[in-house]
Amino acid sequence: MESSAPISQHSVFIGAQSYMNDSGIVRDRVFIGRYCSIGRRVSIAAGAHYMTGVSTNPALEQGPAEAFYSADEMEALEFSAASRRDAPTILQADVWVGDGAIVMPGVVVGAGAVIGANSVVTKDVAPYSIVAGCPARHIRFRFPESVRERLLQSQWWDLSLETLKAFQSGNVLSFLDEVEALNTSETHFADCPTLAIGP
């Protein structure tokens, strides 16, 4: 990690082999899976303010709309009770985030996804999807659906680095054949961390 992260708050998890280049920030309630590659000047769980009170300034904002409005008032003002601001931000395994990208709070980026440089990600990203733009939009998938399904089912990122380095990682089909030939009950880590991000 060459960028800032609130590690002392115990609200950030960074998986094995993942890295983040300089001049970026990882904010509160973030889970980054294994083998993620995060570029320069990236903001993950970028700061968000409540917009349903009089002011968005932290000196006056008081919390989520549902704490202050009745159901009728919420409907009249067209406020949604569901706020991503307080949900964890999750980058699953093998996500590549290009330089200057911003991932908003509460977004889930699926395994193997690619986020283009300078993109602003405001919605969940499907596994192995390539997204780019402001706001980020789906461009294409990295692989056909059948290959994506095999990759997700393999959960290759749970294998040891030593095991993975012995495989043909330059050819996704050969790699999957090798992973699928393994006895997965013996080669997967027994104690992989589970996602549990508390307040």
Side-chain angles (χ1 to χ4, degrees):
M1 287 292 292
E2 295 185 28
S3 294
S4 301
I7 302 298
S8 61
Q9 297 177 20
H10 304 291
S11 59
V12 175
F13 174 89
I14 302 168
Q17 308 305 320
S18 290
Y19 67 91
M20 182 175 185
N21 285 303
D22 60 338
S23 302
I25 187 165
V26 178
R27 297 182 73 102
D28 200 18
R29 298 172 59 77
V30 173
F31 179 96
I32 298 173
R34 294 175 173 167
Y35 298 94
C36 290
S37 304
I38 303 171
R40 293 165 182 80
R41 303 177 316 281
V42 169
S43 178
I44 299 177
H49 297 235
Y50 291 111
M51 298 186 294
T52 54
V54 170
S55 175
T56 59
N57 188 283
L60 291 175
E61 71 174 13
Q62 294 186 336
E66 54 268 28
F68 300 98
Y69 294 102
S70 68
D72 290 341
E73 290 171 330
M74 292 274 289
E75 185 176 349
L77 292 169
E78 300 178 357
F79 292 156
S80 170
S83 173
R84 284 183 177 265
R85 172 191 159 132
D86 299 315
T89 306
I90 300 169
L91 275 62
Q92 295 178 350
D94 193 39
V95 171
W96 174 21
V97 184
D99 289 355
I102 298 172
V103 180
M104 297 303 290
V107 167
V108 177
V109 181
V114 176
I115 297 171
N118 298 313
S119 297
V120 178
V121 183
T122 60
K123 297 180 181 177
D124 292 352
V125 178
Y128 292 96
S129 175
I130 299 173
V131 301
C134 181
R137 292 183 173 86
H138 174 80
I139 306 299
R140 65 180 176 87
F141 285 108
R142 288 176 56 195
F143 304 108
E145 184 177 4
S146 60
V147 176
R148 298 196 308 268
E149 288 176 358
R150 289 177 68 190
L151 284 163
L152 293 171
Q153 188 171 12
S154 76
Q155 296 187 16
W156 62 263
W157 44 84
D158 285 345
L159 297 171
S160 71
L161 182 59
E162 181 179 273
T163 298
L164 292 171
K165 282 187 171 182
F167 293 160
Q168 174 56 266
S169 60
N171 183 318
V172 68
L173 300 176
S174 297
F175 176 85
L176 283 167
D177 288 342
E178 291 174 305
V179 171
E180 290 165 355
L182 290 174
N183 179 346
T184 56
S185 64
E186 293 179 7
T187 54
H188 278 61
F189 290 112
D191 297 316
C192 294
T194 57
L195 176 60
I197 301 178

